[in-house]
Structure formats: structure tokens, C-alpha cells
């Protein structure tokens, strides 16, 4: 079984962790609309999952709901947030001040999910010192060499890698040296990291391939070919790749 990188909850499958984050986002929207209770069917429909899967996922956070009533929204939010470790903000450093990095910095909603981007750095001297419009205020692009200082100053344990591919490994090395153990990787490079460091790839091409596969299956089903209507999930495909043969090494390659 795949292990979750979430602190304190090592036995929750990675796919469940991803869905719990979705439930949390949906629940917060439900709470803001003024609803105090939500049924498993309502929450499952809003999150796009089967109610049985929802109930199994929520069993990991110790919540079973009340038959005929549903789940207390505020209590379920608190339980999931505690399980995911997002009841308090986690400071994040984003490496890469290109189009993607700037878009991520300016995106709203991270704070509502327990994430605060505290710094933006880049290896390009022409970008260092420039200002980027953030969600709340402007951010000044720092130098890649400042990663260690920034991580220590802000207690950073999570980083986002959105650099040019040529800078990916050296940037990843700098984060690891600074004590960062969780890295979200938007590059096409598979960085080499120590065994204790978790790298989660974000592969747009994979996401589009999954969408194309699901569209083809649905088209076949609608035209009576007898194909199953189940859809594939990107994290399932990534997990399948990760379970392939691996060579023994003191470093781990986690990639797309």
C-alpha cells in the first residue's frame, strides 16, 4: 500500500490523502454558504467521488457521521485539517519566477488551505530583484543562493520547483540542503533526492492523457461497445509507475 507523506498519519493511502484535501476544500465552501450539516451523498457528489469511497476515506480521520443526519461540517473540517496538518499555515518557498511561478504566486486561495508562499527565488540574474504581483502584496524575486537563509528564517519544510529544467536539479539540491523534505515538482526533470525526501510530480501531459483516455472510454460506452465506464485517475497511473523495478541506491528518483 502506498504511504502518505502526511506527518502523524503514515498509513493513509496517498490517493485518500489527495481526496481528503478535495473534501476539505468542498466543506469550506459549504461552510461559507451557511450549511451546518452535509450528507455523505451530497459531499461525495460535490467532490466527484463514490459515496462508499468517501466514507472509507473519512474513516481515516475518525469520522463516521450520523445516520439519517449526515456530517457536522465544522467538526469534519477540523478533523480533516488536523489529519492533513493544515490547521496552521505551512510556509512555502517557490523556485522559478517565470510565467508559471508568477501565476502561482498571484493565485488566491492558498491561505484557506493552510499554505503561505513566503518567498519566490530564481537562478536568472535578470529576474532577481524584480517585483511580482502576489495575492496580497508584491514579492521581490530572491536569488537561488538565498534558499538556505529563507528556509531557516521561515521554518520552511515544503518547496515548489517551477524552474527551467536546466536549473531543476541544482535547485532541488539547495532545498534538500536547507532541510526541505517535501517538494512539488512542476518541471520535466526527475530530480535525484535522498530517500527521506518526498517529491510529488505535477505532469500536465499525464493529466491530458488521462482525460483523453476517459473521453475515449465514455465515447465507446455511449456507442454501445460494451466498454466499462470507469475512469482512470492520474495519481493511480503515477502510483503504477512508481511500483516498477528500482535499483538499489542511497538516492531516490521520483518523477513523471
Amino acid at each position: 500500500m502506498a504511504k502518505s507523506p502526511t506527518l502523524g498519519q503514515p498509513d493513509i493511502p496517498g490517493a485518500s490523502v489527495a481526496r481528503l484535501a478535495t473534501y476539505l476544500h468542498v466543506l469550506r465552501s459549504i461552510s461559507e454558504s451557511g450549511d451546518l450539516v452535509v450528507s455523505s451523498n451530497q459531499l461525495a457528489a460535490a467532490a466527484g467521488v463514490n459515496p462508499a469511497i468517501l466514507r472509507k476515506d473519512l474513516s481515516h480521520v475518525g469520522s463516521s457521521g450520523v445516520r439519517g443526519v449526515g456530517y457536522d461540517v465544522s467538526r469534519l473540517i477540523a478533523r480533516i485539517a488536523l489529519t492533513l496538518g493544515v490547521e496552521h499555515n505551512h510556509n512555502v518557498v517557490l523556485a522559478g519566477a517565470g510565467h508559471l511561478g508568477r501565476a502561482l504566486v498571484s493565485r488566491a486561495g492558498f491561505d484557506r488551505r493552510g499554505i503561505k508562499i513566503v518567498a519566490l527565488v530564481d537562478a536568472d540574474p535578470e529576474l532577481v530583484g524584480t517585483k511580482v504581483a502576489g495575492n496580497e502584496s508584491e514579492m521581490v524575486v530572491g536569488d537561488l543562493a538565498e534558499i538556505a537563509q529563507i528556509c531557516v528564517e521561515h521554518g520552511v519544510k515544503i518547496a515548489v520547483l517551477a524552474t527551467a529544467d536546466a536549473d531543476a536539479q541544482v535547485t532541488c539540491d539547495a532545498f534538500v540542503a536547507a532541510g526541505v523534505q517535501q517538494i512539488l515538482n512542476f518541471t520535466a526533470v526527475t530530480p535525484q533526492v535522498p530517500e527521506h525526501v518526498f517529491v510529488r510530480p505535477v505532469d500536465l501531459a499525464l493529466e491530458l492523457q488521462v482525460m483523453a483516455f476517459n473521453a475515449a472510454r465514455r465515447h465507446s460506452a455511449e456507442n454501445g461497445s460494451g466498454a466499462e465506464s470507469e475512469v482512470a485517475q492520474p495519481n493511480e497511473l503515477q502510483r503504477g509507475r512508481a511500483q516498477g523495478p528500482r535499483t538499489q541506491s542511497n538516492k531516490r528518483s521520483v518523477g513523471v
Side-chain angles (χ1 to χ4, degrees), residues 5 19 22 48 61 64 78 80 91 93 114 176 208 234 237 242 250:
R19 289 192 295 265
T22 299
V61 305
S64 58
I80 296 177
N91 291 337
V93 173
V176 173
L208 291 173
L237 296 183
N250 62 350

Side-chain angles (χ1 to χ4, degrees), residues 6 26 30-31 71 79 90 93 108 137 154-156 176 181 208 221 226 228 238 240:
T6 309
V26 171
I30 292 174
S31 178
Y71 297 92
R79 283 183 176 273
H90 289 269
V93 173
S137 60
H154 295 280
V156 173
V176 173
Q181 298 183 11
L208 291 173
E228 297 179 3
Q238 289 177 339

Side-chain angles (χ1 to χ4, degrees), residues 27-247:
L27 285 164
R28 284 173 170 163
S29 297
I30 292 174
S31 178
E32 291 173 358
S33 70
D35 292 327
L36 303 179
V37 177
V38 63
S39 71
S40 59
N41 287 339
Q42 290 172 325
L43 182 54
V49 301
N50 184 289
I53 292 177
L54 170 78
R55 288 189 287 270
K56 183 175 181 180
D57 289 337
L58 294 184
S59 70
H60 293 300
V61 305
S63 183
S64 58
V66 178
R67 183 178 295 276
V69 178
Y71 297 92
D72 181 294
V73 173
S74 61
R75 182 175 299 178
L76 189 53
I77 287 174
R79 283 183 176 273
I80 296 177
L82 180 62
T83 299
L84 295 180
V86 295
E87 71 274 23
H88 302 295
N89 275 344
H90 289 269
N91 291 337
V92 174
V93 173
L94 196 159
H99 295 301
L100 176 58
R102 290 168 183 262
L104 290 172
V105 166
S106 64
R107 180 177 178 178
F110 284 125
D111 55 339
R112 296 177 64 249
R113 300 191 181 196
I115 299 297
K116 182 179 181 181
I117 298 178
V118 296
L120 175 64
V121 299
D122 202 282
D124 188 344
E126 294 187 2
L127 293 177
V128 173
T130 60
K131 294 182 178 181
V132 177
N135 180 34
E136 297 181 355
S137 60
E138 286 188 329
M139 299 187 71
V140 178
V141 179
D143 194 293
L144 182 65
E146 300 173 0
I147 283 181
Q149 177 183 344
I150 293 171
C151 290
V152 171
E153 181 180 346
H154 295 280
V156 173
K157 298 299 179 185
I158 303 174
V160 177
L161 193 60
T163 64
D165 290 349
D167 298 321
Q169 185 63 60
V170 66
T171 305
C172 188
D173 291 342
F175 279 129
V176 173
V180 174
Q181 298 183 11
Q182 307 287 327
I183 301 174
L184 186 65
N185 179 26
F186 281 93
T187 75
V189 173
T190 302
Q192 298 293 316
V193 297
E195 195 68 32
H196 68 278
V197 176
F198 178 82
V199 179
R200 181 178 178 87
V202 179
D203 188 341
L204 180 59
L206 174 63
E207 301 291 339
L208 291 173
Q209 284 178 322
V210 171
M211 298 299 289
F213 172 79
N214 290 339
R217 284 183 74 92
R218 176 164 296 182
H219 176 76
S220 296
E222 290 174 349
N223 284 276
S225 66
E228 297 179 3
S229 60
E230 294 179 1
V231 297
Q233 298 297 327
N235 58 352
E236 293 175 352
L237 296 183
Q238 289 177 339
R239 187 165 61 250
R241 290 184 177 186
Q243 291 173 344
R246 290 175 56 187
T247 57

